[in-house]
Amino acid sequence: MTSLHTTRVRRRRLGVAAAAAGLVAALFTAGPAAATPDPGDTATTDGGVPVSRQIEARAEAAIRSGEVPGVDEIVHSDNIEHLTNVPKNALKGLNTDLAFQGRYAYAGNYDGFRIFDISNPEKPRTVAEVLCPGSQNDISVSGNLLFLSTDSSRSDDSCASTSQPATEKSSWEGMKVFDISDKRNPKYVAAVETACGSHTHTIIPERGNVYVYVSSYAPNEAFPDCRPPHDGISVIKVPRNAPEDSRVVNFPVLFPDGGNPGAPANPGVSRTTGCHDITVLPSKDLAAGACMGDGLLFSIEDPENPRVIDRVQDNVNFAFWHSATFNQRTDKVVFTDELGGGGAATCNEETGPNRGANGVYDIVGRGDHRKLVFRSYFKIDRPQAETEVCVAHNGSLIPVKGKDLMVQAWYQGGVSVWDFTDSSKPREIAYFERGPVSTDAVTTAGPWSAYYYNGYIYSNDIAKGLDVLKLNDRRTDPAKKVRLDELNVQTQPDYFRR
């Protein structure tokens, strides 16, 4: 374990262009699934000068100017402490999402998952590493069950599987279920194949069962288990006492009209062929769906049969609706836009402040008459080098009564803490980031997810490992008194009704 300390603290403005437990098979590394790369990303020359060399030169110039930190240099606002970093260990793939339970943190990785004991947040300790390759490995926990998404075509449903084309009928992708009653020795107990795999998932815990909403997309006529139209989500029912009996119980159609058609009708916008991520607020029987070209508000009063209440599009500035977060009063929802598919440098002057941003929406009206009403965009204004993949990604509420505060990951844009209490005027109040991992080429790295849990921010950096941060700010300090027994961020708790 190593602890990285900041070398300088500064504030910058926008202005630079920019299953089995243990190791049971060979390590597998894959790149993140691209969502919607911008046209022109593959250009190789500009005026006879190789684009790669131009990007490298601009990145190096940005560092020399002081606008961008040096390679791997840590910078942060005065109100954030960087307590520690735990580098990758046996699992060498890309780090992904996080879930929490008591004194444990569960970290997804394209090679499997890792369990940390975080009883001392300044010194997280590895309890187990489980090799179970499959891209994404989005992760959730409920009681003694752990859920893992597989969104790459595999030879079978085992943790010793190998990559296999999706055109093969025998290929498998979907949801895996582990028994984590023994944290040191998780046991793989169930698998459920789902149409087009499982890019992400969201759980709705109940006393006897756990419902799992599986988000997946990108069907193809050549894929036997992922053919169009793919206009909904898979709903899995997992009996707590018999997870081996888990099964798909419904595939509700959310887009009876086919959803956003994308180009050519809406250039630069993804065609909707499913959902990327769903966030549920069980205490309110409400969910928000980020579904490629569409944003949804829907009822989960009957979890097996979710029902759409409202749907919105932004065909000017949103390229790929990626994730959603409710505020505590459930009168706002934040949608993120994964411009560039998590593979492009989009936090720069050329892209601007509205494209690749968060969209803040008010929820107005009651019951089935509720509507999503756009209020503003929020995007970090700290410039990034042109080799830094920067994109709005996963975050969570910071529970403070009467305030709407959120911590969010931005890949190489770092970790941002921002206030959207006034939904028309959101603003950043704290940040943490590293400089580019390279000035030679556009590189995917930085925080995949950044979540507030029991007084600390935990960030799973794609390349660098687990970071633990501490906020010291009067605006966020009341959140330190809020304690949870379990946190899956896409299953939002009601923090103040506990």
Side-chain angles (χ1 to χ4, degrees), residues 47 50 57 132 142 150 196 198 239 249 290 298 311 360 387 390 441 460 475 497:
C132 200
S142 181
T150 299
C196 301
S198 175
V249 293
F298 55 97
R311 172 176 145 200
V360 183
T387 55
C390 177
N460 209 17
R475 294 164 290 190
R497 284 181 57 189

Side-chain angles (χ1 to χ4, degrees), residues 444-467:
T444 298
W448 175 291
S449 49
Y451 300 145
Y452 189 91
Y453 178 69
N454 291 354
Y456 297 87
I457 293 171
Y458 296 87
S459 171
N460 209 17
D461 189 292
I462 294 167
K464 300 296 184 182
L466 182 74
D467 286 304

Side-chain angles (χ1 to χ4, degrees), residues 30 60 85 92 95 99 105 107 129-130 147 157 171 184 204 218 260 299 371 385 387 428 461:
E60 291 172 348
N85 169 266
K92 304 299 184 184
N95 283 331
E129 292 193 72
V130 177
F147 303 89
D157 64 6
S171 294
R184 295 182 178 276
I204 304 176
N260 197 318
S299 167
K371 297 291 182 183
T387 55
E428 184 174 75
D461 189 292

Side-chain angles (χ1 to χ4, degrees), residues 12-43:
R12 307 187 311 279
R13 57 183 176 79
L14 186 63
V16 178
L23 303 180
V24 297
L27 289 175
F28 169 83
T29 303
T36 172
D38 281 345
D41 283 348
T42 56

Side-chain angles (χ1 to χ4, degrees), residues 124-199:
R125 183 172 54 84
T126 299
V127 175
E129 292 193 72
V130 177
L131 182 75
C132 200
S135 65
Q136 291 292 119
N137 277 338
D138 192 41
I139 194 166
S140 297
V141 292
S142 181
N144 288 329
L145 298 178
L146 179 147
F147 303 89
L148 204 64
S149 286
T150 299
D151 193 36
S152 58
S153 187
R154 312 295 298 174
S155 56
D156 55 53
D157 64 6
S158 77
C159 284
S161 67
T162 57
S163 182
Q164 181 170 290
T167 51
E168 301 254 355
K169 176 60 180 172
S170 62
S171 294
W172 184 93
E173 51 187 318
M175 286 299 309
K176 294 169 180 167
V177 184
F178 289 78
D179 183 326
I180 52 170
S181 51
D182 180 355
K183 303 295 187 292
R184 295 182 178 276
N185 187 32
K187 295 180 180 178
Y188 184 13
V189 294
V192 180
E193 187 170 15
T194 54
C196 301
S198 175
H199 193 75

Side-chain angles (χ1 to χ4, degrees), residues 151 173 193-200 214-221 223-235 248 250-260 271-276 291-292 294:
D151 193 36
E173 51 187 318
E193 187 170 15
T194 54
C196 301
S198 175
H199 193 75
T200 66
V214 175
S215 297
S216 56
Y217 55 94
N220 190 303
E221 289 286 359
F223 300 163
D225 299 318
C226 180
R227 289 194 173 117
H230 184 71
D231 47 14
I233 59 173
S234 297
V235 180
V248 175
N250 197 10
F251 187 87
V253 173
L254 303 179
F255 306 98
D257 65 350
N260 197 318
R271 180 169 69 93
T272 299
T273 60
C275 288
H276 180 278
C291 302
M292 304 182 73
D294 296 86

